[in-house]
Amino acid sequence: EELQKKYDGSFTIGNSRDEAVRGVDVVYCDSWMSYGIPQDERAERFKALMPFQIDDKAMAMADKDAIFMNCLPAVRGEEQTADVLEGPQSVIYDQAENRLHAQKALLTLLINGFDWKV
């Protein structure tokens, strides 16, 4: 709430995909099957989460200029459809490229050392 006030932003906790995406500027997906989750939980997890899948209908509910993000890797047909991943609102490759540059900068600092007093 402190950051919301400081940056004049907002967030809402909802119980449906449609409620979550309606009018938003950014739709961000993450994996339903994170590392360490047993494969035997897959069917149950997908049954519970499939109503939240981001597809063209969901993106149409977002702001007309909304972007779609996913930190990759992304599985087409799971958290999001292929149409969304490859669609005009998707910025997943720009996002990945930016992460690559940040990681290269971090490696450069770690390899060459950094004077933290600067």
Side-chain angles (χ1 to χ4, degrees), residues 6-108:
K6 182 177 179 180
Y7 295 105
D8 193 29
S10 65
F11 67 92
T12 303
I13 297 174
N15 296 312
S16 75
R17 176 201 68 179
D18 294 357
E19 182 181 7
V21 300
R22 191 168 288 113
V24 300
D25 297 318
V26 178
V27 177
Y28 197 107
C29 276
D30 198 2
S31 175
W32 293 346
M33 290 299 294
S34 298
Y35 297 109
I37 296 174
Q39 283 295 318
D40 61 347
E41 293 182 21
R42 184 177 177 86
E44 182 179 338
R45 194 172 260 267
F46 274 66
K47 182 179 178 184
L49 294 173
M50 194 52 88
F52 293 92
Q53 183 187 58
I54 301 302
D55 57 16
D56 288 336
K57 180 181 174 190
M59 291 305 296
M61 287 185 247
D63 185 85
K64 68 178 182 64
D65 295 319
I67 59 172
F68 174 79
M69 300 178 79
N70 185 305
C71 61
L72 301 180
V75 181
R76 288 157 177 78
E78 292 188 4
E79 301 86 5
Q80 63 284 303
T81 62
D83 290 342
V84 170
L85 277 173
E86 305 298 335
Q89 293 170 287
S90 177
V91 296
I92 59 171
Y93 299 114
D94 292 330
Q95 181 183 3
E97 181 182 11
N98 290 340
R99 188 174 65 239
L100 171 67
H101 297 311
Q103 291 166 344
K104 290 188 315 188
L106 178 59
L107 282 172
T108 300

